[in-house]
Amino acid sequence: MHLRKTDVVDAAITILDQYGLADLTMRRLAGSLQVQPGALYWHVKDKQTLLGAVADRILAPMDEPVTTAEWQGQVTELAHRLRDCLLAYRDGAELVSATYASRLTTSKARERLAGIVIRAGMTREEADLTAYTLLYYVLGQTVDEQSRMQMDSAGALPAESTPLLETPDATARFDFGLQLFIAGVRSILGTRVR
């Protein structure tokens, strides 16, 4: 079998979904691909580089076109898309958060968010801060949401504390925070809105 980088990333995502981030090791990955661990290093420099490639794959839907014309709708759509990307994979939020912290994933999603608010009238400096703030909001909310769901599925939460019965639910809480964020951006833009 001729091993390609996409094969390595695909197998890493499978392990992530089956076992979680803590068990995504180079040894396990090599075993799943039926190669020696050293063979992986032809395709990825080290585990951190592998995690960056996995994060980029998780975030691939962020590159798809937005369907809304005005900046508020675009920000909302991309924030929800980011959340959906993270929730689509076990420990997806934790993995992406770690790779953003170590600057191992591409910053296309952040750049895209910054571009939206620049076109709405923000300066580049304000837009960068805005994009980072939204990125960290989504990551934080989603890490918490995934952690609670995993704790619940493992029976680590009392029955009355299950996230499935929380009111408001995780999406409603996410939307409320997003509305606050957009109101803040609107306030900063003030009369600069085009």
Side-chain angles (χ1 to χ4, degrees):
M1 173 183 158
H2 179 66
L3 192 62
R4 298 169 303 173
K5 184 175 181 178
T6 56
D7 299 324
V8 174
V9 174
D10 289 344
I13 287 174
T14 299
I15 291 169
L16 178 70
D17 266 345
Q18 286 181 333
Y19 303 103
L21 182 57
D23 289 326
L24 176 53
T25 65
M26 297 302 268
R27 184 174 307 282
R28 182 178 291 239
L29 180 58
S32 75
L33 292 167
Q34 299 178 344
V35 298
Q36 293 297 316
L40 299 175
Y41 297 105
W42 285 99
H43 305 284
V44 291
K45 184 175 94 175
D46 52 27
K47 183 177 178 183
Q48 298 309 318
T49 304
L50 170 68
L51 295 179
V54 170
D56 285 341
R57 175 78 62 81
I58 289 171
L59 296 174
M62 294 299 295
D63 293 337
E64 295 171 9
V66 291
T67 60
T68 309
E70 58 186 40
W71 72 265
Q72 299 96 319
Q74 291 176 0
V75 168
T76 299
E77 184 177 334
L78 286 178
H80 274 278
R81 189 180 301 169
L82 176 57
R83 179 176 177 254
D84 292 344
C85 288
L86 301 174
L87 290 174
Y89 299 93
R90 180 176 177 175
D91 295 336
E94 182 182 352
L95 183 142
V96 170
S97 180
T99 60
Y100 263 112
S102 59
R103 307 297 188 254
L104 289 171
T105 192
T106 62
S107 59
K108 286 190 274 186
R110 183 182 50 77
E111 280 296 318
R112 191 156 187 207
L113 289 164
I116 291 168
V117 293
I118 286 172
R119 287 187 297 280
M122 280 194 164
T123 66
R124 180 65 195 196
E125 182 179 1
E126 291 169 333
D128 285 340
L129 292 171
T130 299
Y132 272 118
T133 301
L134 181 58
L135 176 69
Y136 295 141
Y137 168 69
V138 177
L139 286 170
Q141 284 284 104
T142 312
V143 165
D144 181 70
E145 185 177 349
Q146 273 189 327
S147 296
R148 289 188 49 72
M149 292 300 288
Q150 289 174 13
M151 290 172 64
D152 187 50
S153 68
L157 294 177
E160 66 276 2
S161 295
T162 179
L164 300 174
L165 301 177
E166 289 180 343
T167 306
D169 68 12
T171 301
R173 286 192 312 275
F174 180 79
D175 283 336
F176 182 79
L178 192 53
Q179 288 172 18
L180 290 176
F181 177 83
I182 289 173
V185 172
R186 193 177 292 119
S187 175
I188 289 171
L189 287 172
T191 58
R192 291 183 278 173
V193 177
R194 296 176 194 168

